[in-house]
Amino acid sequence: MATSTRILELLGLLQNRRHWPGHELAKRLEISQRTLRRDVDSLQELGYPIVTTRGTGGGYHLSSGTALPPLVLSEEEAAATVLGLKTIATGIYPTSNDAALSAMAKIVQVLPPRIRRRIDSLRAVATSPRVEANHAAAITDVAALTTLTLACRDTETVEFTYQAWSGEVAERTTHPHRVVNVEDRLYLIAWDADKGDWRTFRIDRITNPRRTGGKFAHRKLPTDDPVKYINTQLGSMPAKYRVHATVHASADRVRDEVGHYGTVEAIDPTSCTLFIAAESLEWATFCIGSIGSPVVVHSPPQAIEYMNTWAQRLLDGTSTNKANQIPLKHNDNS
């Protein structure tokens, strides 16, 4: 590997992890520790803020709060860069929102506090008003999102205040594993240290996340598909009614129609399964009726009966009395 290529890879590794033991970093780069020290010295001479620690557990890491040369950003440039990455992280562009989240975390962690505060003050304009709501994830707090993303990367325990769907507010201690964009929201998949089980958290309901410094062993996620897992969790949320239906339309189209109010699983290219957790059968009926495609409702029985009643009422209201019907005139000249 050429020296320049190796040094660029070294920088990338240092930005991807909070601390690298020297022997592990040298092994990853396939070089000796002596060569590694020379490369680090060269970067330090160029102004890169690489901190070296000696002795047991020693290694290398980038210090925070320092702009990385040659990528020296002004306050305006830093704000524009991070806000642009936030827009990409919403998932509205054909690129990886995971990559945008990772890049945003890397940049924010090395910005001086003054610029971080400037970016946070601009969070109200994070999402373009021209973007359709059902394609844009809500990112309202850059600092909170960065904290959670970095904690996932560094396998570091995080404490935060969380408001549940019921309105209950509680302090949570978690082992964060993955930030996931599902339709128009960002979610955190984490191991709940108090509950001893996996939990999903809406990031817009998380406040004051704090990295504790405590490390945890990374666990295998409950499923290989984080998006599917989030959808399953949403579909199993407590609700008075859980409506199950088959829709004769593509899964992508139905997702666009129902948004985060239901979970959709493709059966084939032209049909899908829909689950809606609702407190009101009226609301579930409205969601299904607005799709505008043939639907078969399977359960619960109350939903089937309610929708049949609705359908009959609409049919009765639109029936035309033949005795009073005015025949349409046909224009032969048309």
Side-chain angles (χ1 to χ4, degrees), residues 3-304:
T3 302
S4 58
T5 303
R6 187 179 69 239
I7 288 180
L8 286 174
E9 185 174 350
L10 170 59
L11 276 174
L13 291 172
L14 289 171
Q15 287 186 305
N16 279 327
R17 198 159 123 183
R18 197 172 194 181
H19 177 78
W20 281 93
H23 65 88
E24 188 176 341
L25 192 54
K27 182 179 179 180
R28 183 71 173 268
L29 293 167
E30 298 181 347
I31 58 177
S32 67
Q33 292 203 51
R34 182 178 180 181
T35 300
L36 174 61
R37 285 193 293 271
R38 285 204 304 266
D39 288 348
V40 169
D41 288 342
S42 298
L43 288 171
Q44 288 173 330
E45 289 175 3
L46 291 173
Y48 285 87
I50 302 173
V51 177
T52 303
T53 54
R54 309 291 183 186
T56 304
Y60 305 93
H61 69 269
L62 285 171
S63 65
S64 60
T66 307
L68 290 178
L71 184 63
V72 179
L73 300 176
S74 69
E75 186 172 339
E76 294 291 339
E77 291 169 335
T81 300
V82 174
L83 289 173
L85 288 169
K86 281 182 61 180
T87 303
I88 296 172
T90 63
I92 62 174
Y93 296 116
T95 186
S96 170
N97 60 291
D98 286 344
L101 289 172
S102 176
M104 187 165 62
K106 288 178 182 179
I107 293 174
V108 171
Q109 72 172 322
V110 296
L111 292 177
R114 178 174 56 84
I115 300 182
R116 291 194 204 185
R117 288 193 295 269
R118 167 66 182 275
I119 293 170
D120 196 48
S121 71
L122 296 174
R123 60 176 180 245
V125 297
T127 303
S128 170
R130 295 189 299 271
V131 175
E132 293 184 15
N134 62 339
H135 291 296
I139 302 177
T140 57
D141 191 333
V142 174
L145 181 59
T146 299
T147 297
L148 296 170
T149 304
L150 292 175
C152 291
R153 184 198 71 181
D154 297 331
T155 60
E156 187 173 337
T157 301
V158 170
E159 297 175 346
F160 53 76
T161 304
Y162 189 70
Q163 181 177 6
W165 65 273
S166 62
E168 178 185 359
V169 177
E171 292 296 316
R172 310 299 283 267
T173 301
T174 66
H175 299 162
H177 279 65
R178 187 72 183 270
V179 173
V180 184
N181 181 358
V182 176
E183 295 173 3
D184 64 344
R185 297 189 190 280
L186 289 174
Y187 295 87
L188 172 68
I189 300 178
W191 179 267
D192 192 311
D194 298 321
K195 307 289 185 182
D197 199 2
W198 290 103
R199 291 290 188 271
T200 59
F201 302 94
R202 268 178 48 176
I203 290 182
D204 60 330
R205 291 178 175 171
I206 292 175
T207 55
N208 192 28
R210 306 169 299 280
R211 298 175 68 174
T212 66
K215 307 288 283 186
F216 62 85
H218 194 277
R219 292 178 169 85
K220 180 177 173 60
L221 292 175
T223 175
D224 292 333
D225 187 341
V227 173
K228 186 174 181 179
Y229 176 71
I230 294 292
N231 279 325
T232 301
Q233 294 299 104
L234 293 176
S236 63
M237 287 179 62
K240 188 174 181 180
Y241 304 102
R242 284 183 43 77
V243 180
H244 171 206
T246 297
V247 185
H248 294 282
S250 70
D252 287 342
R253 180 174 172 275
V254 175
R255 287 192 189 99
D256 286 343
E257 294 290 342
V258 302
H260 65 276
Y261 298 110
T263 58
V264 181
E265 298 177 4
I267 298 175
D268 55 45
T270 61
S271 63
C272 60
T273 299
L274 171 64
F275 294 93
I276 295 178
E279 294 298 313
S280 163
L281 287 176
E282 184 176 11
W283 173 246
T285 302
F286 173 78
C287 284
I288 290 175
S290 66
I291 295 172
S293 297
V295 177
V296 178
V297 180
H298 303 293
S299 64
Q302 303 98 307
I304 297 173

Side-chain angles (χ1 to χ4, degrees), residues 314-328:
L314 291 172
L315 185 62
D316 292 342
T318 55
S319 296
T320 303
N321 187 325
K322 291 184 178 181
N324 297 325
Q325 184 174 358
I326 300 175
L328 294 175

